[in-house]
Amino acid sequence: MKITRIAVYQVDLPLDKPYWLSGGRLKFEKLDSTIVSIETDQGITGWGEGCPWGVTYLPAFAGGIRAGIAELAPALLGQDPCHLDQINHSMDTALPGHLYIKSALDIACWDILGKAANLPLYTLLGGRYSSHVVLQNSVSTGTPDEMLAIVRSGRAKGYTVHTVKIGADVGLDIERIHTLLADLQPHESITFDVNRAWLPDQAIMVMNTINNARPYFEQPCETLEECRTVRQFTRQPIILDECIQSFESLLLAQRTQTAQGIGLKIGRVGGLTKAKRMRDFCVSTGMRMNIEETGASQIGDTAAIHLAIATPETHRHASWDCSALHSVVTADGGYIREDGKATLSDKPGLGIEPRLEILGQAVAVYS
Ligand code: MG
């Protein structure tokens, strides 16, 4: 099988409500998603998506994906999309680094592989471990009462895992944490995601106010070294998210015992091929994962749910689904969100059917 054509689409994803990241320093109103189709000489088409979480979250931006695909497309045309490791080797040779640019192309090739094999992606990624994937209730930052209302609203919808954005103001953060911990139900889990907003001294002060509760803290500080300092002087499990940009950074986080869990974001680490390698390493070394996209509509989120459901439940925490924050439907047939859980069909590949009227005209075509 050979790749004959790559088409690139741009879709705006306006969020239903503005989303405030930790510390209130970042406000998001819209995401800019890039969706790609890869066509082959055997009539099979695969779909993928890449969507950074705004421009300030990571060293990644939407225009970069589209510019990068222009560089990568000539290296992929004529190649067999089912040879995923080779496809990734070609992309890494043609354009070293820039992992986030490659994810949509990698996902589209996995979709082709699944359709060619007549198997759902989760089978090819390791096999289905459970009927569903637990989803996160994503809580934007605000006053303690505003955040409590979002937690309770998520609880009423069936969510049992809450991921709460805090950071920057130590006094207010302590108030937020203790308000939410007091309301936490025995069967629930809560993560306080700082998104790098604290310095180590602030993280140590805040985390050491907690005695008998069992929250996770996510990405307390900017760098791995700062987070490692926090690890040495605190007791709660730490999840690293923004720091985990590649297999190498995962290796360092594990070797230095900085994190007990990671955010495995498909888009950030370069797609399903590289995320699967990291997933396997985490399973082998006892690290828990939130397997999810960086930002996405149904196409990207469905890819992440396939990898999550093919991962032992013992090593999963919960997946964030960006599609819950916006109403733009780019595809049918993907994962279904219900009662705080995601389920998948057993259709081949991603199992999605893109809505061409939403994608509009391709902004670039390579053939
Ligand atoms: Mg995070």
Side-chain angles (χ1 to χ4, degrees):
M1 193 186 300
K2 285 196 170 101
I3 295 174
T4 53
R5 185 175 186 267
I6 299 171
V8 181
Y9 302 86
Q10 189 276 329
V11 180
D12 281 339
L13 307 175
L15 302 184
D16 294 338
K17 289 183 201 149
Y19 192 93
W20 290 92
L21 204 58
S22 301
R25 67 198 191 284
L26 300 173
K27 184 183 179 190
F28 296 92
E29 290 176 324
K30 185 178 80 170
L31 297 176
D32 177 345
S33 181
T34 302
I35 292 171
V36 302
S37 72
I38 295 185
E39 294 174 28
T40 63
D41 60 353
Q42 294 189 17
I44 298 178
T45 299
W47 292 88
E49 179 175 19
C51 180
W53 181 237
V55 298
T56 50
Y57 176 62
L58 291 170
F61 67 106
I65 294 181
R66 296 186 284 273
I69 290 174
E71 300 291 332
L72 292 168
L76 295 181
L77 290 167
Q79 290 222 40
D80 189 331
C82 297
H83 295 193
L84 266 304
D85 284 349
Q86 261 182 27
I87 287 284
N88 275 269
H89 180 73
S90 296
M91 289 199 284
D92 291 340
T93 304
L95 185 68
H98 302 281
L99 297 180
Y100 75 101
I101 287 173
K102 300 163 181 170
S103 185
L105 295 166
D106 174 77
I107 292 170
C109 289
W110 274 96
D111 190 29
I112 293 169
L113 175 64
K115 287 170 176 168
N118 199 29
L119 290 169
L121 277 200
Y122 62 75
T123 302
L124 300 169
L125 292 166
R128 182 195 275 271
Y129 274 91
S130 58
S131 61
H132 63 266
V133 168
V134 175
L135 295 174
Q136 295 173 19
N137 177 31
S138 184
V139 182
S140 168
T141 200
T143 66
D145 285 345
E146 285 165 351
M147 297 171 82
L148 185 61
I150 302 175
V151 167
R152 287 179 172 170
S153 150
R155 180 178 297 146
K157 291 178 192 156
Y159 287 90
T160 56
V161 178
H162 310 283
T163 298
V164 175
K165 303 293 187 179
I166 60 166
D169 183 323
V170 163
L172 186 54
D173 283 339
I174 291 173
E175 203 184 324
R176 288 166 172 148
I177 289 167
H178 288 278
T179 300
L180 298 181
L181 284 179
D183 189 63
L184 198 68
Q185 306 298 299
H187 64 287
E188 293 181 333
S189 170
I190 193 162
T191 300
F192 296 103
D193 189 354
V194 189
N195 288 115
R196 333 191 287 273
W198 288 335
L199 289 178
D201 62 339
Q202 296 171 305
I204 292 164
M205 274 191 273
V206 176
M207 290 166 71
N208 284 336
T209 66
I210 298 161
N211 290 318
N212 298 318
R214 42 179 181 76
Y216 289 91
F217 280 87
E218 185 165 322
Q219 196 69 46
C221 304
E222 181 83 32
T223 66
L224 181 72
E225 207 45 44
E226 290 167 347
C227 292
R228 195 176 168 208
T229 302
V230 175
R231 170 68 302 151
Q232 287 170 338
F233 296 102
T234 55
R235 295 186 306 138
Q236 295 85 14
I238 290 175
I239 295 171
L240 286 185
D241 192 8
E242 288 95 314
C243 267
I244 306 297
Q245 304 210 6
S246 64
F247 195 98
E248 289 67 31
S249 52
L250 168 61
L251 193 58
L252 204 53
Q254 194 275 339
R255 204 168 62 201
T256 57
Q257 300 179 330
T258 308
Q260 289 63 56
I262 65 161
L264 182 51
K265 287 190 161 62
I266 313 297
R268 186 174 57 213
V269 304
L272 285 169
T273 302
K274 291 185 169 95
K276 179 182 180 301
R277 292 175 192 158
M278 294 170 73
R279 184 277 310 267
D280 292 342
F281 178 82
C282 287
V283 170
S284 300
T285 57
M287 295 183 84
R288 193 172 295 281
M289 290 163 275
N290 292 324
I291 299 177
E292 56 207 14
E293 257 301 359
T294 319
S297 64
Q298 283 75 13
I299 299 172
D301 279 341
T302 297
I305 298 298
H306 273 280
L307 183 62
I309 213 163
T311 298
E313 282 183 280
T314 46
H315 289 69
R316 276 187 241 152
H317 185 222
S319 299
W320 172 65
D321 64 327
C322 183
S323 307
L325 301 181
H326 62 83
S327 331
V328 179
V329 179
T330 57
D332 297 300
Y335 82 105
I336 292 168
R337 180 191 324 112
E338 197 172 25
D339 300 331
K341 301 179 187 78
T343 53
L344 284 169
S345 78
D346 56 3
K347 283 180 272 185
L350 287 169
I352 59 108
E353 204 52 60
R355 291 192 179 181
L356 300 178
E357 72 279 13
I358 300 291
L359 305 191
Q361 287 291 314
V363 295
V365 174
Y366 306 95
S367 59

